[in-house]
Amino acid sequence: MGVVKRTRLQNIEENKPRKAIQGSVKKEEEEEERIDGVVKKGEEGMTEYERRRVENIERNQRMLASLNVQSLRSSVATKHPRVEPKGYKKIPERKQVPIVLRRSLRTGGIPPDASSAKGGHDDMPCIDHLSSSSSTSVPIKKRMGSFTMGEVYESKKFDVSDNHFIDTVIGLSDKSPLSRIGVKKVEAFEVGQLRLKADNVARLVPGRILSLGFFPCLERTVVVAGDKLGYVGFWDTDDKEGDGVYTYCPHSAAVSGVVVRPFHLTKIFTSSYDGSIRLMNVEDGNFDMIYHCDDEVFALSTQTCDMNSLYFAEGQGELKVWDERTKGISNSYSLHSRRINTIDFNPENDNIVCTSSNDGEACIWDLRCIRDDPLQKVKHQKAILSAFFSPTGQYLATTR
């Protein structure tokens, strides 16, 4: 009896783990047989999710290898010594903190006077001034009339003369305009081959640049830029005598546009938020005011073949044409419900012009029937900051 009883106990102990093992195996089989799950195992013991993940990683690695990203990353990651950009040197202004003297009657031996007591007002006499100035906008102090280039030449503070720049611009203008007709053929290049060198960086103006342009000539590369403070800077990149940077301050507010006449390089037009359009006549050495209004001027442009007209955006959606022969406005059009940000002409057809506006629309117009509906319209949800034609005139690029 004792032997038989001992055998039954052994069988019970042996059957317990066997049932547990069978239950766990059955549970694993049920989990593996799920169809939608992420747990469906493949032939190599990997789940469907893991297999797709490995395939995506391998595909991305092959794509990065074809783009040669690793070599570009190593070249960009190299640290270069910081080089101070040439050109306009920004001089930091020291803020003068007013010293408020505490006036105490007790230390002066003067008895208190209830009628003249103002509490803490004597300690801070500038509170009323700050509160009143912050609630009202400060009007722009406009610079009226004409003045010479020397009066607003800022680089003279650093003992830099602009005589060489004036001679260069006059020399370029005296050359035959036939050498400037046509578009220079540019060979294709890879973006990965571009490198930014320290010699190719210059500070033209002290503030943030709002308008940028190039002199329409092939002999030299001359860049012109206008900033938010009213400064206009020029950079002659081919100048061998100095850094080639010359800065002027003809406006009292942000410079919204810069135009250089293709056949008169000595005539440079600038527009500003102060409501003025000025002509920088390099030959005469003057900044002449040719137009002034109470509203802001937001954009400036000109046709390639028209030497007598300027197109500019004024106020809320107004496009106006200034005629140099009559010294006045020849036409005015209301094209948008809000301000116009850019004006660009088609390089293949000067009668086709594009405007971008804060109303979220970029429109293509025909100047011969501009009062009608636009030829084409591009709509965005937010303001369109710029719209420009491609060099062939077949495409339009917009930014927002």
Side-chain angles (χ1 to χ4, degrees):
M1 293 293 293
V3 177
V4 175
K5 189 175 182 180
R6 188 166 51 249
T7 305
R8 290 178 179 175
L9 292 175
Q10 291 177 357
N11 292 336
I12 292 173
E13 295 296 333
E14 290 176 358
N15 291 334
K16 286 177 63 177
R18 185 181 300 172
K19 293 181 179 179
I21 294 173
Q22 291 177 354
S24 63
V25 172
K26 186 177 181 181
K27 187 176 181 180
E28 291 180 0
E29 291 178 353
E30 291 177 355
E31 292 179 356
E32 293 175 3
E33 290 178 355
R34 294 181 186 173
I35 298 176
D36 299 335
V38 183
V39 293
K40 185 179 179 182
K41 289 194 175 181
E43 297 178 357
E44 300 179 357
M46 299 176 60
T47 62
E48 184 70 17
Y49 171 78
E50 293 174 346
R51 185 180 60 80
R52 293 182 180 178
R53 179 174 176 272
V54 172
E55 291 178 356
N56 291 336
I57 293 175
E58 293 177 352
R59 183 174 66 253
N60 293 336
Q61 289 178 351
R62 289 194 299 269
M63 182 180 64
L64 294 176
S66 63
L67 296 176
N68 199 18
V69 174
Q70 294 296 334
S71 60
L72 295 177
R73 182 181 178 183
S74 60
S75 62
V76 173
T78 56
K79 294 184 178 180
H80 300 281
R82 181 177 178 85
V83 180
E84 185 69 21
K86 55 187 175 182
Y88 187 90
K89 297 176 178 57
K90 200 170 183 179
I91 302 176
E93 297 181 359
R94 295 184 61 183
K95 296 182 179 180
Q96 297 181 357
V97 180
I99 301 176
V100 180
L101 299 178
R102 187 179 182 89
R103 302 178 179 89
S104 176
L105 300 179
R106 181 181 59 82
T107 57
I110 303 175
D113 186 5
S115 62
S116 62
K118 298 181 181 180
H121 182 77
D122 294 337
D123 298 337
M124 295 179 291
C126 59
I127 289 181
D128 292 341
H129 171 70
L130 293 176
S131 60
S132 61
S133 62
S134 59
S135 60
T136 58
S137 59
V138 179
I140 299 175
K141 186 178 180 180
K142 299 182 180 181
R143 182 177 293 173
M144 306 298 293
S146 302
F147 38 78
T148 63
M149 293 171 53
E151 295 178 16
V152 294
Y153 182 54
E154 293 293 321
S155 298
K156 65 183 179 182
K157 299 177 181 178
F158 313 108
D159 298 331
V160 179
S161 175
D162 61 345
N163 293 330
H164 180 68
F165 170 70
I166 295 175
D167 295 339
T168 301
V169 175
I170 294 176
L172 292 175
S173 182
D174 291 339
K175 292 184 178 181
S176 173
L178 295 178
S179 62
R180 298 191 290 272
I181 295 179
V183 179
K184 185 178 180 180
K185 185 178 179 180
V186 180
E187 298 180 356
F189 62 91
E190 295 183 3
V191 179
Q193 298 178 353
L194 298 178
R195 295 291 183 271
L196 181 60
K197 300 180 180 179
D199 295 338
N200 296 334
V201 178
R203 185 190 297 275
L204 276 66
V205 287
R208 178 165 57 92
I209 294 177
L210 298 182
S211 56
L212 185 69
F214 295 86
F215 272 57
C217 61
L218 302 178
E219 292 80 5
R220 300 175 76 93
T221 302
V222 183
V223 186
V224 55
D227 72 347
K228 66 176 184 178
L229 303 177
Y231 289 80
V232 177
F234 298 88
W235 182 20
D236 184 4
T237 60
D238 298 322
D239 191 359
K240 304 301 181 182
E241 297 184 2
D243 56 15
V245 176
Y246 307 90
T247 307
Y248 301 86
C249 185
H251 294 281
S252 55
V255 179
S256 58
V258 178
V259 169
V260 183
R261 290 289 195 191
F263 298 95
H264 296 282
L265 299 183
T266 57
K267 292 185 176 182
I268 304 162
F269 297 89
T270 59
S271 62
S272 173
Y273 287 5
D274 60 9
S276 66
I277 300 178
R278 292 189 177 274
L279 168 61
M280 178 182 178
N281 196 327
V282 179
E283 289 182 335
D284 298 339
N286 295 325
F287 274 99
D288 299 325
M289 179 178 290
I290 63 173
Y291 180 78
H292 178 264
C293 62
D294 295 332
D295 293 327
E296 295 90 347
V297 178
F298 295 110
L300 183 67
S301 184
T302 184
Q303 292 176 305
T304 304
C305 299
D306 190 353
M307 299 182 296
N308 299 314
S309 300
L310 280 177
Y311 293 78
F312 63 94
E314 176 185 335
Q316 299 300 316
E318 294 288 333
L319 176 65
K320 295 187 177 183
V321 185
W322 181 82
D323 196 330
E324 189 174 0
R325 293 164 296 187
T326 61
K327 308 298 181 182
I329 302 298
S330 59
N331 288 296
S332 178
Y333 311 98
S334 180
L335 304 182
H336 294 270
S337 58
R338 300 183 65 182
R339 55 173 280 187
I340 297 176
N341 293 318
T342 57
I343 306 168
D344 189 48
F345 289 89
N346 192 303
E348 297 296 330
N349 187 354
D350 277 345
N351 292 319
I352 305 300
V353 61
C354 176
T355 57
S356 66
S357 173
N358 274 7
D359 60 6
E361 293 182 353
C363 300
I364 300 178
W365 310 84
D366 190 341
L367 291 178
R368 294 164 293 189
C369 52
I370 194 171
R371 298 187 184 278
D372 300 335
D373 294 334
L375 302 178
Q376 294 289 337
K377 181 187 297 185
V378 178
K379 182 69 176 179
H380 289 299
Q381 294 181 353
K382 295 183 179 181
I384 300 180
L385 302 181
S386 65
F388 295 99
F389 285 104
S390 63
T392 59
Q394 300 179 357
Y395 303 95
L396 182 71
T398 60
T399 61
R400 57 187 179 92

